[in-house]
Amino acid sequence: MDTPALIKTLQDPMGIPFFPVVFQALMVLTFSLHILLVNATVGAAALAVYGRLAGGEFWTKLAGSMAKAVTMSVSALIVLGVAPLLFVQVIYDPFWYASNMLSAAWAIGFLLIMMAAFSASYAAVARGDKPGAALFGALALALFLAAGALMHVFSYQALQPERWMSWYSRAAGVDASGTTLHSFSLARYLHFIIPGLAVGGVFLMLRSWYLEPRADADRTALDRAARIGSGLAFWATAAETVAGVWWLMILPDGLRFWRNPTFIASAALGFALLGHFARVHFFTEKPQRSALASASAIILVVLAMSSAREALRMAYLARFEYSPLAQRVTLDWGSTALFFGTFALGLVVLAYVLATAFQSGRVAGRYEAGPRMQAWGRVAVGLLIAWIVVVAGLGVAVTLRNHGV
Amino acid sequence: MYPVWEVPHLTAGMILGLIATFHMMPVYLSTSAMWFAIWLESRSVREGRPDLMDFVRRYARLVLIFSYVFGALSGVGIWFAATVAAPRAISGLIHNYVWGWATEWVFFLIEIAAIYVYYYTIDKVDAKTHLKIGGIFALASWTTMIVIVGILTFMLTPGRWPSTGAFFDGFFNETYWPQLLLRTTSMFAVGGAYVLAVAASGKNERVRVEVVRAGSVLGLAGIGLGGLSFLWYSSSLPDPIRSNLAALMTPGLRGGMIYPTALLALLFAIFAAKPGAARPWAGAAALALVFSGIWSFERTRELIRKPYVIPNYMYSNQIIGGDVPSKGVSSELDRINDKGILRLAAFVPDELRTVTDANRLRAGRMVALIECSACHSLQDKGLRPLPERIRRLGATGPDDVASVLDSLGGIPYMPPFAGTADEKRALAEYLLSISK
């Protein structure tokens, strides 16, 4: 069986319920959010360990709040990771599944590693500034990096269908143990990990910007943290460009990816980001004043890079006559409407919850919601109840029609 | 057909079962806990009882860490485990139900934001706002159940989906409402067990007694209503599934559902009457009972689906054995019987594509991996070990085994053998060789 034929036999025969480009866009979007949180986790975990080791009042405090931030951003990255995990299975099913099966034991291992990493990060918080905090923090960081390496392996193996069979075959038949990891690219892995420091830096700037208005804020410490943040953001972005060039150099011949417009656009944006961080770090008095601009810029660049990576994936797989956009579509309007309706409604509710967090964290004492926030809260609860009523109504109607009484 | 993951003794499906059962523990906590928490919180506001908030804080912390760390991870874990247990099946489900899962995901986002904000703003925001955040969490969390029950029940009773292929026709199927009610009521029994576990270690005597009593009453109500829903649920099961139930239900599984539930009810009854006697061990015992009850229930649910992973469409070994005309998909059995599984499956080494004298046993093992290993261990011990099953049937030669293979399709809970006569022979010889 040649590789294109093999891919065809694997592809799900049922087709998909909506236009593939919509799934692709959602995949890129949600993956970008996921990887931003992954970056933030790696950055915060590294800062927490460094802070514990450096000691002193400033670093000890900062390490404490970074350790706590790690636990939250891990929760968020897991939930945000669910969506791209779902969408990749819709438009890249043969690749994702084959790759997972070839290292199946590690798919379960990934889970155990994440649980251990999570526990270690909580232990690091629980230790406070007692000895051992650095050790647990370092353990958490190492385990997060290992989990990231596994995800890298799964996506990287997925891009090499021409090698799958040789990974699976053994002299005596096949290796069905799933215990081997088959392919790893350091350049690509680094390209995912280094931005952690840049995002960690931006996170420090944001934190200073956010806490500054509080009555009980320690402004000297916040200034210092923001400066450390801008430095990290600049140097990590510089290192990232080097890793990017290295990655570009090891791409398979014939892809000519450097001529791809999404690549050119994202590279240009990357350099613009570097220039922005240089300005903020070297020529700005208080980097936290540029925190929002920096955060927006880095989000934009991550989106662009994710799009470029998607273009790269399409280029890889086009060599095997596969296109994620060439799917059999069996339109299902009902469930499509269900999702987009829920999504719109969910954003209103989610934004209310986050706005409450934002506002209450900015005051030193107890926060009292104003009339507009209260109204928003009522709308949020009402929307959830309305969702339940509508779906239940639909369910009753379908049940009566299909199954009588 | 994807590569196979052979887990010695256990089978990959068992790994999935373990993770899925574990996952139910944090999930039921999450869906039920907040109703209890906001009830207590509003009492605390109304009656001016800040001491009650001490329990609420500890309960919310448990939800935060257990549900949104281990729960979220094991939830993702189910995806991975389901993938490596049966990639083609999860692919089939996702290609139909992707928007359902995506909808559920929107509520995950709300849930996780809400529980963090709820926990970290206790005493830091005004009471009304705090209760609203709690309410949002409780509603969003239960909504995830509304969604997932549609997909779970679809895997058992696909409703009119096979003929229409429409999402909601499969989603709101004949067991949807009973199972939603069953899960909704029994989640309060689970929530009650957690209340016991958290409250029993409380320092404030008055709070401890009050909360333990309320939690036990809640748990009792959950078990009572859950029992009634279970009766409705069982009566909604269609005939083929009932006959599977009759054939496959072991005394162990039946007892595994009944005894833990009865003991849990007893525990709740004791502490509803004498809440002061509750100690942390009681909470631990209640949770252990919950786990074993859920394990038996979910195992049974898995078992009665056999031989299918997607009813009347895909067998547990991922061979498509039925037509779904609305999706333009038809059974693969005829083609496989004609051309051979080793020729048609994607991941078979070229050298094994045709059975020869030189490769018979290896080819037979390949067939067993593809067609049998999802439900049977190929080792001597473990889950339904094939060597032992073959020995038990007293087969002495390849012909005996081949006639066993011929009869597989007649057993309601097993897929038929699929493949050419050569392949059947090779499988028979292989099975004989491992059962010696």
Side-chain angles (χ1 to χ4, degrees):
Chain A
M1 222 178 264
D2 63 2
T3 307
L6 177 125
I7 294 168
K8 282 215 176 57
T9 67
L10 295 178
Q11 221 175 340
D12 198 275
M14 292 227 203
I16 61 180
F18 207 62
F19 305 107
V21 65
V22 174
F23 291 106
Q24 188 180 40
L26 284 171
M27 182 182 85
V28 171
L29 177 72
T30 53
F31 176 79
S32 305
L33 296 175
H34 166 68
I35 202 75
L36 268 166
L37 267 288
V38 169
N39 290 332
T41 304
V42 170
L47 280 166
V49 176
Y50 178 82
R52 291 282 174 226
L53 295 177
E57 197 200 322
F58 170 80
W59 275 111
T60 305
K61 256 190 94 184
L62 193 64
S65 65
M66 288 298 115
K68 214 164 152 188
V70 169
T71 59
M72 293 189 208
S73 69
V74 178
S75 292
L77 82 84
I78 293 172
V79 176
L80 285 170
V82 169
L85 179 65
L86 182 61
F87 296 131
V88 76
Q89 297 176 59
V90 175
I91 53 174
Y92 288 111
D93 44 324
F95 308 93
W96 180 252
Y97 294 130
S99 174
N100 269 265
M101 294 313 292
L102 290 166
S103 309
W106 287 104
I108 305 299
F110 168 77
L111 183 69
L112 300 177
I113 289 176
M114 279 300 289
M115 290 208 173
F118 221 147
S119 310
S121 67
Y122 265 98
V125 175
R127 295 299 295 172
D129 46 12
K130 290 196 282 290
L135 204 64
F136 279 118
L139 181 64
L141 178 62
L143 290 168
F144 285 133
L145 290 177
L150 286 178
M151 278 303 110
H152 156 70
V153 168
F154 286 132
S155 357
Y156 197 50
Q157 290 180 172
L159 292 178
Q160 304 168 63
E162 77 278 20
R163 301 173 66 189
W164 291 343
M165 203 57 224
S166 67
W167 291 336
Y168 190 47
S169 301
R170 288 291 178 277
V174 296
D175 175 14
S177 73
T179 49
T180 312
L181 296 172
H182 304 281
S183 192
F184 183 88
S185 153
L186 187 61
R188 198 180 142 109
Y189 178 61
L190 284 179
H191 201 258
F192 278 96
I193 295 304
I194 294 172
L197 296 175
V199 174
V202 172
F203 181 62
L204 281 185
M205 288 155 66
L206 274 174
R207 178 175 166 275
S208 294
W209 164 80
Y210 177 66
L211 293 177
E212 221 170 26
R214 272 178 70 136
D216 55 353
D218 172 355
R219 301 221 155 59
T220 335
L222 291 181
D223 283 352
R224 185 173 167 198
R227 176 68 62 202
I228 292 169
S230 62
L232 263 180
F234 173 75
W235 290 111
T237 307
E240 177 72 348
T241 35
V242 177
V245 171
W246 181 16
W247 184 12
L248 193 66
M249 280 173 8
I250 61 162
L251 288 180
D253 298 336
L255 284 188
R256 295 170 178 268
F257 192 57
W258 42 270
R259 298 208 315 204
N260 188 299
T262 53
F263 167 74
I264 296 170
S266 77
L269 283 172
F271 280 110
L273 186 71
L274 187 62
H276 167 78
F277 284 142
R279 192 183 59 76
V280 172
H281 184 56
F282 296 110
F283 304 106
T284 312
E285 179 119 14
K286 285 186 184 283
Q288 63 267 43
R289 302 273 151 83
S290 307
L292 286 186
S294 301
S296 317
I298 208 165
I299 290 173
L300 186 72
V301 171
V302 167
L303 270 171
M305 290 208 308
S306 303
S307 312
R309 276 195 287 256
E310 178 61 11
L312 178 61
R313 187 186 346 238
M314 288 176 75
Y316 257 99
L317 300 182
R319 298 179 303 163
F320 307 104
E321 297 162 32
Y322 184 86
S323 163
L325 300 179
Q327 306 266 352
R328 200 161 69 82
V329 176
T330 322
L331 280 180
D332 190 284
W333 287 102
S335 65
T336 306
L338 175 73
F339 169 71
F340 282 102
T342 307
F343 194 53
L345 169 157
L347 287 182
V348 176
V349 181
L350 184 66
Y352 166 72
V353 175
L354 295 178
T356 304
F358 182 88
Q359 302 205 349
S360 67
R362 248 194 175 173
V363 295
R366 196 178 156 101
Y367 162 77
E368 300 283 336
R372 278 176 56 194
M373 283 300 287
Q374 287 187 13
W376 190 357
R378 280 193 297 274
V379 169
V381 174
L383 280 175
L384 288 175
I385 295 177
W387 187 95
I388 293 175
V389 170
V390 169
V391 171
L394 177 70
V396 170
V398 172
T399 307
L400 290 179
R401 192 193 66 200
N402 288 354
H403 306 291
V405 265
Chain B
M1 216 62 82
Y2 289 96
V4 179
W5 184 35
E6 190 196 8
V7 183
H9 309 300
L10 278 180
T11 75
M14 201 58 138
I15 303 269
L16 171 61
L18 276 170
I19 295 179
T21 304
F22 172 78
H23 181 63
M24 295 295 148
M25 301 292 290
V27 161
Y28 284 135
L29 171 65
S30 154
T31 50
S32 66
M34 194 52 79
W35 300 104
F36 190 73
I38 55 181
W39 172 71
L40 265 189
E41 182 176 353
S42 56
R43 257 189 67 189
S44 137
V45 174
R46 239 186 5 257
E47 300 170 13
R49 293 271 314 274
D51 53 337
L52 288 175
M53 288 309 284
D54 173 56
F55 169 81
V56 171
R57 178 177 291 116
R58 290 192 303 131
Y59 201 41
R61 188 178 158 75
L62 178 73
V63 179
L64 179 74
I65 296 189
F66 190 51
S67 295
Y68 289 88
V69 174
F70 295 102
L73 268 173
S74 56
V76 176
I78 294 186
W79 284 104
F80 279 101
T83 293
V84 294
R88 223 181 167 205
I90 196 77
S91 171
L93 284 172
I94 283 184
H95 280 76
N96 283 285
Y97 280 94
V98 51
W99 289 136
W101 271 300
T103 300
E104 195 192 15
W105 170 76
V106 174
F107 292 108
F108 287 155
L109 285 179
I110 297 174
E111 265 183 294
I112 191 144
I115 188 65
Y116 269 98
V117 175
Y118 183 84
Y119 176 69
Y120 283 106
T121 61
I122 291 178
D123 290 339
K124 295 210 175 79
V125 300
D126 64 272
K128 264 192 180 159
T129 300
H130 199 252
L131 279 168
K132 270 194 206 104
I133 301 283
I136 287 174
F137 175 86
L139 285 167
S141 194
W142 184 58
T143 308
T144 61
M145 186 182 274
I146 297 186
V147 178
I148 200 64
V149 165
I151 302 175
L152 285 177
T153 51
F154 167 82
M155 290 193 259
L156 190 64
T157 49
R160 282 192 49 201
W161 175 85
S163 57
T164 68
F167 179 96
F168 288 114
D169 283 334
F171 192 92
F172 292 114
N173 56 70
E174 53 269 51
T175 57
Y176 177 80
W177 297 105
Q179 192 168 128
L180 180 64
L181 190 70
L182 173 60
R183 287 185 190 265
T184 300
T185 48
S186 38
M187 81 189 184
F188 286 109
V190 183
Y194 282 105
V195 171
L196 212 57
V198 174
S201 62
K203 300 222 167 25
N204 181 321
E205 176 72 22
R206 179 172 171 214
V207 173
R208 199 178 71 200
V209 167
E210 275 181 32
V211 174
V212 165
R213 172 171 291 139
S216 303
V217 170
L218 179 74
L220 270 181
I223 290 182
L225 295 173
L228 292 178
S229 324
F230 187 80
L231 295 181
W232 184 24
Y233 172 65
S234 324
S235 73
S236 73
L237 292 175
D239 286 337
I241 291 185
R242 276 155 193 273
S243 56
N244 257 1
L245 198 59
L248 292 176
M249 185 65 132
T250 61
L253 278 179
R254 192 188 308 271
M257 287 193 276
I258 295 174
Y259 296 124
T261 315
L263 281 174
L264 191 62
L266 184 68
L267 214 58
F268 283 140
I270 292 175
F271 294 121
K274 284 178 72 80
R279 293 290 173 272
W281 64 260
L287 290 175
L289 290 171
V290 165
F291 185 85
S292 57
I294 295 180
W295 167 259
S296 305
F297 177 79
E298 298 293 335
R299 282 302 296 164
T300 309
R301 194 176 59 82
E302 274 299 306
L303 210 57
I304 58 183
R305 302 205 278 142
K306 293 199 180 324
Y308 292 107
V309 262
I310 303 179
N312 305 317
Y313 167 59
M314 191 182 286
Y315 289 123
S316 299
N317 57 15
Q318 305 180 71
I319 290 176
I320 295 176
D323 305 335
V324 182
S326 61
K327 298 272 181 183
V329 181
S330 44
S331 163
E332 299 172 333
L333 286 180
D334 289 345
R335 266 192 78 213
I336 293 178
N337 288 336
D338 182 35
K339 297 239 159 60
I341 185 78
L342 294 177
R343 177 145 314 156
L344 291 178
F347 283 88
V348 174
D350 282 337
E351 179 254 336
L352 297 183
R353 293 241 179 238
T354 15
V355 180
T356 64
D357 279 338
N359 72 12
R360 310 190 67 78
L361 287 186
R362 282 178 294 129
R365 175 174 154 77
M366 195 72 227
V367 176
L369 276 175
I370 295 175
E371 293 197 16
C372 321
S373 71
C375 308
H376 291 283
S377 154
L378 302 182
Q379 282 75 34
D380 248 327
K381 297 230 163 53
L383 183 72
R384 300 183 202 110
L386 271 186
E388 185 272 341
R389 291 292 187 273
I390 298 293
R391 255 196 312 272
R392 203 174 66 186
L393 290 175
T396 50
D399 291 331
D400 297 346
V401 184
S403 64
V404 170
L405 293 176
D406 280 331
S407 67
L408 292 186
I411 306 179
Y413 40 79
M414 241 191 307
F417 168 81
T420 61
D422 275 352
E423 288 170 343
K424 189 186 295 169
R425 186 80 190 176
L427 175 60
E429 288 174 19
Y430 167 72
L431 291 176
L432 200 62
S433 78
I434 57 171
S435 63
K436 284 257 163 64

